[in-house]
Amino acid sequence: MDEFLAKLTGASTLSIADILARLMLAFLLTSSIALLYARTYRGYGRPQPMAMVLVLVSLATAGIIMAIGDNLALSLGMVGALSIVRFR
């Protein structure tokens, strides 16, 4: 029961070093994917803006995932907020 309550309240914390390391890892991995995409894209238009969007979306997603963490109530709230935005 205590474990369930800890998940509801979000008892886990991250240090600044952990946050920066995770964001840097997300940036490095997505930058390599974006570079590969920009070099191999053969379609219409310019691939550089799309490659930058890939990097920005990955950083935003990493931040959201770190904010939610193990907090069950916050994750359900985020799902509700995103579904409202989706069906608007």
Side-chain angles (χ1 to χ4, degrees):
M1 185 69 174
D2 292 332
E3 188 176 315
F4 178 72
L5 290 175
K7 284 191 177 196
L8 270 177
T9 59
S12 66
T13 59
L14 292 174
S15 68
I16 298 294
D18 288 339
I19 292 171
L20 291 177
R22 290 177 185 195
L23 287 176
M24 185 61 72
L25 181 63
F27 176 76
L28 291 174
L29 291 174
T30 311
S31 294
S32 64
I33 293 170
L35 183 65
L36 180 68
Y37 172 77
R39 289 191 180 192
T40 60
Y41 181 73
R42 300 281 184 241
Y44 176 75
R46 296 173 50 190
Q48 285 81 18
M50 180 61 183
M52 285 191 293
V53 168
L54 285 173
V55 173
L56 291 175
V57 166
S58 74
L59 291 175
T61 304
I64 290 170
I65 289 172
M66 283 187 288
I68 290 174
D70 290 336
N71 193 336
L72 183 62
L74 184 59
S75 66
L76 291 175
M78 290 296 289
V79 168
L82 292 174
S83 67
I84 289 172
V85 170
R86 179 177 170 227
F87 289 116
R88 182 175 177 248

